[in-house]
Amino acid sequence: MNLRLTHFLMWLAFIALMFAIPEFVSKGTLRTLIFANFLAIFAISWDVLSGRTGYISFGHPFLIGIGAYTSAILTKRFDVPIELAIPAAVAMTMVGGVVVFLPALRIKGSYFALVTLAFMELMYQLVQVIRPDLTGGTRGMSGVQTLTRGAVNGYYLSVSLMLAVALSMWLLMRTQLGTALSAVGMNEESVRGSGLSVTKLKLFAFLTSAFVAGLGGAFYVHYLGSIAPRALFDINFLFTIIVAALIGGASTIIGPVIGAFFLTFLLEYLRPYLPGAERYFIYGMIALLLYMYEPKGLIAIFSKGWQRLRGGAGSEQSSAS
Amino acid sequence: MSAALRITNLVKRFGGLVATDNLSFDVEDGQSVGLIGPNGAGKTTVFAQIMGEHRQTSGSIELYGREISSDSTPERIRRGVSRTYQVPRPFTDMNVLENIRVGLMPNNIWQMITAKPRYQQETEIALSVGFTETDLQKTPGELAMGDLRKLEMARTIATGTKVMLLDEVFAGLTVAEIAQITVLIQQMRQDGMTFLIVSHDLKALEPLVDKVIAINYGSKIAEGSFNEVLNDEAVRSSYLGAA
Ligand SMILES: Nc1ncnc2c1ncn2[C@@H]1O[C@H](COP(=O)(O)OP(=O)(O)OP(=O)(O)O)[C@@H](O)[C@H]1O
Ligand SMILES: [Mg+2]
């Protein structure tokens, strides 16, 4: 069988499996999977920006927050229909993406990361003081309209959204644009020296990343039906996103997805043993060890194992014949 | 007929240091000019100003009769000038073809998404600078210094430039590689390319240039044919002084 067909069938099997999952697992596991799907969307969003261009964003909860708050406020306080509120939220998040982009015109590396972290903190403070009648202040909002009822439907919605985002980002990054964005991450001067506008490429990466973050944030709030600012603008949430992308395999689309599922289940299975914040410490250690062992992430470990398996099967066949 | 590249009264100061000192010269269309001078004479700094990587303190830079001093680097490249670097600057996680691909890309997001890579042209450029078929999938980490210089040239050719600025393209190359690059430059000259070539390897430079400009401490000390400039008293003492 040729390789392309094998790949295609594997993807088909994977997608079929994803859709069949609710038949086999408990409601609790399903809720964990829903979180994993959203985390995968956020990790893809982070990776499109930071994994590609090398501008490490510590501000992704800021973007996700804009998407979530905009849609929640529009639907709950102004009775805007949800199908208008979500696009509006995505548009607002893209405006937020431009705001995060501005410092990237001048600063790089850890300074950029710190500035974006400040955006997240600022947003946390702002929602508490400015118009708490709209944002719900420290306590956040509840009773936000939901799109689906029950874990099964929530799962189908989240998995569809995740696959749609993953597929479209994968297609986009396979084009020459993906090559150009990776080039920005490797050497900005040489990109400029190749006649390409680095500013334009960076702006596109920020807007695309914000688009996905806003979409994910808006859908997430309409799945949960509530917003808790303490959990959203939280350093643990931020690091979960980044670590998912990194240990899964940055600059690939499947990597952040694998990383998101791995982390979500790791955190979930650690929960009975470590109910508190120690859990994050353990998962941090595991992530660090994994990252040291294979900086290209789980995706590299899997594909090496897969190659060994194929290699092994191949030699068995040849010795049998 | 205006020059392909005209530098007029160019001055560049780095604090107290004058790296380019009231420098003027022309490169005619289709001409190949050597730019020589001892270490630290300011050759690379001239390139950096032509490309807009450093803004000059004063003076003008014209490309085909048009002032380009206020253009960004990508804009200048689109107007037809491009350079290589003394220290190669490839995209480290990309293979040879992908490195060339970035140079060939249109500076337009929509076209980047919709247009397919021009594999054939990438391969042609790679082979023309002397890569073999087996090199095409190699990443810069797997290449020797000579190959990195070839890649540097290939990336510059890919931008579709009319005026090529070559900074020490022969450094670290074997005799065979120098011969190959020489043939390539000769070929491109016949096809009408304009060159400004910086090289410490004067023997390699000699057959490639119509005229030579020698600079020291950022200012021009001689201009003329290769032999005239090499026999110039000021040029000889500048090289001796630096050694
Ligand atoms: N960014 C900079 N800041 C300060 N001084 C600089 C800078 N770039 C170059 N210089 C100085 O300008 C002078 C000219 O440097 P340049 O690199 O242009 O010389 P060069 O002729 O290319 O030398 P080489 O043959 O060694 O490559 C040197 O004294 C150098 O130290
Ligand atoms: Mg130099």
Side-chain angles (χ1 to χ4, degrees):
Chain A
M1 205 182 332
N2 86 29
L3 197 66
R4 269 214 143 124
L5 191 61
T6 322
H7 265 191
F8 181 72
L9 290 178
M10 270 173 56
W11 275 108
L12 218 62
F14 172 72
I15 291 170
L17 178 76
M18 292 294 274
F19 278 91
I21 273 177
E23 305 290 330
F24 308 112
V25 303
S26 71
K27 289 263 156 55
T29 310
L30 222 45
R31 285 190 210 289
T32 308
L33 283 165
I34 294 170
F35 179 74
N37 282 327
F38 280 107
L39 183 60
I41 293 169
F42 300 144
I44 290 172
S45 162
W46 186 86
D47 188 51
V48 163
L49 173 62
S50 304
R52 292 273 159 180
T53 68
Y55 282 80
I56 304 301
S57 160
F58 276 6
H60 255 65
F62 167 76
L63 295 174
I64 296 162
I66 295 178
Y69 268 102
T70 307
S71 205
I73 291 171
L74 285 178
T75 50
K76 190 173 164 72
R77 313 275 189 227
F78 299 101
D79 293 323
V80 175
I82 211 162
E83 55 273 24
L84 290 181
I86 291 177
V90 171
M92 270 306 276
T93 313
M94 289 172 81
V95 173
V98 175
V99 172
V100 184
F101 163 74
L102 292 176
L105 286 171
R106 303 214 144 255
I107 50 176
K108 276 187 209 174
S110 31
Y111 293 107
F112 175 75
L114 280 178
V115 169
T116 55
L117 187 63
F119 279 125
M120 177 177 99
E121 270 307 309
L122 190 72
M123 179 95 172
Y124 181 44
Q125 303 301 330
L126 283 183
V127 295
Q128 296 178 46
V129 285
I130 297 184
R131 299 296 302 267
D133 54 320
L134 289 183
T135 64
T138 325
R139 290 204 319 236
M141 295 164 82
S142 56
V144 178
Q145 189 183 341
T146 54
L147 279 162
T148 54
R149 263 175 218 295
V152 174
N153 290 331
Y155 172 78
Y156 281 128
L157 181 73
S158 67
V159 80
S160 307
L161 188 69
M162 187 274 283
L163 288 173
V165 165
L167 182 68
S168 44
M169 287 303 124
W170 181 73
L171 287 172
L172 189 64
M173 290 305 145
R174 263 166 48 100
T175 67
Q176 296 204 81
L177 178 75
T179 310
L181 291 180
S182 302
V184 171
M186 290 172 212
N187 193 332
E188 276 188 38
E189 277 74 34
S190 293
V191 173
R192 230 172 263 128
S194 301
L196 304 181
S197 160
V198 173
T199 309
K200 208 151 68 173
L201 286 167
K202 277 195 288 199
L203 179 61
F204 186 86
F206 277 79
L207 287 176
T208 310
S209 178
F211 176 89
V212 174
L215 198 67
F219 272 93
Y220 194 43
V221 80
H222 291 300
Y223 157 70
L224 286 177
S226 63
I227 289 190
R230 283 266 301 277
L232 184 58
F233 304 115
D234 173 31
I235 204 106
N236 282 325
F237 179 49
L238 165 67
F239 282 131
T240 307
I241 296 171
I242 297 178
V243 170
L246 287 184
I247 68 162
S251 250
T252 64
I253 299 297
I254 185 82
V257 177
I258 294 174
F261 277 78
F262 176 80
L263 271 193
T264 307
F265 278 90
L266 183 66
L267 281 171
E268 204 47 40
Y269 287 123
L270 285 174
R271 194 192 290 277
Y273 312 102
L274 296 163
E278 302 87 351
R279 204 159 78 246
Y280 284 95
F281 178 72
I282 298 290
Y283 108 96
M285 293 296 289
I286 293 176
L288 190 68
L289 286 175
L290 248 172
Y291 191 67
M292 276 160 50
Y293 171 68
E294 178 54 78
K296 292 212 167 105
L298 288 168
I299 179 90
I301 296 175
F302 288 163
S303 70
K304 272 181 199 160
W306 171 242
Q307 264 161 23
R308 205 163 300 154
L309 221 70
R310 282 177 66 94
S315 59
E316 262 173 38
Q317 265 173 13
S318 60
S319 64
S321 61
Chain B
M1 161 95 214
S2 61
L5 180 66
R6 169 165 291 166
I7 307 290
T8 316
N9 300 331
L10 197 67
V11 176
K12 176 70 190 175
R13 289 201 191 90
F14 290 116
L17 181 97
V18 185
T20 309
D21 190 359
N22 205 28
L23 184 67
S24 303
F25 65 86
D26 281 3
V27 180
E28 300 299 331
D29 195 24
Q31 202 179 26
S32 178
V33 174
L35 182 62
I36 65 168
N39 285 326
K43 305 175 296 285
T44 300
T45 305
V46 171
F47 278 17
Q49 290 169 90
I50 296 171
M51 293 314 301
E53 293 150 10
H54 286 324
R55 184 58 57 87
Q56 70 261 32
T57 309
S58 64
S60 84
I61 302 167
E62 288 166 74
L63 194 68
Y64 295 104
R66 189 184 174 284
E67 178 65 50
I68 56 168
S69 296
S70 57
D71 295 346
S72 70
T73 303
E75 281 165 349
R76 293 178 199 216
I77 290 172
R78 245 166 298 140
R79 300 210 175 278
V81 61
S82 189
R83 72 170 285 195
T84 69
Y85 290 86
Q86 210 167 339
V87 180
R89 300 174 161 191
F91 300 111
T92 42
D93 297 336
M94 291 185 187
N95 65 30
V96 168
L97 288 184
E98 287 164 333
N99 264 279
I100 296 170
R101 186 170 308 157
V102 179
L104 281 170
M105 273 183 214
N107 185 25
N108 174 304
I109 300 276
W110 180 244
Q111 284 174 24
M112 283 181 194
I113 297 171
T114 52
K116 287 257 166 302
R118 288 176 274 176
Y119 299 110
Q120 199 181 335
Q121 210 176 343
E122 290 166 8
T123 309
E124 271 167 25
I125 293 174
L127 297 181
S128 79
V129 298
F131 282 113
T132 60
E133 295 274 357
T134 50
D135 293 331
L136 301 182
Q137 305 300 328
K138 285 185 184 163
T139 56
E142 301 165 307
L143 296 175
M145 191 41 146
D147 290 331
L148 290 177
R149 296 225 178 270
K150 293 187 219 159
L151 183 56
E152 199 63 16
M153 259 194 95
R155 292 202 305 109
T156 308
I157 294 170
T159 62
T161 188
K162 291 182 276 190
V163 179
M164 257 181 108
L165 317 177
L166 303 179
D167 201 349
E168 302 289 2
V169 270
F170 298 118
L173 263 61
T174 65
V175 176
E177 285 169 333
I178 291 177
Q180 191 160 25
I181 298 284
T182 302
V183 170
L184 173 66
I185 295 175
Q186 297 290 27
Q187 180 63 51
M188 290 169 74
R189 281 176 74 192
Q190 270 171 29
D191 296 342
M193 180 74 77
T194 305
F195 284 100
L196 182 59
I197 307 174
V198 165
S199 177
H200 271 112
D201 187 338
L202 298 175
K203 220 175 88 210
L205 189 65
E206 183 172 9
L208 294 178
V209 291
D210 303 309
K211 78 168 179 186
V212 172
I213 294 159
I215 63 172
N216 197 16
Y217 299 111
S219 63
K220 185 158 77 181
I221 53 174
E223 176 168 357
S225 74
F226 184 85
N227 284 323
E228 276 165 23
V229 170
L230 266 285
N231 289 318
D232 186 277
E233 205 47 51
V235 174
R236 288 177 157 266
S237 63
S238 79
Y239 270 88
L240 286 176

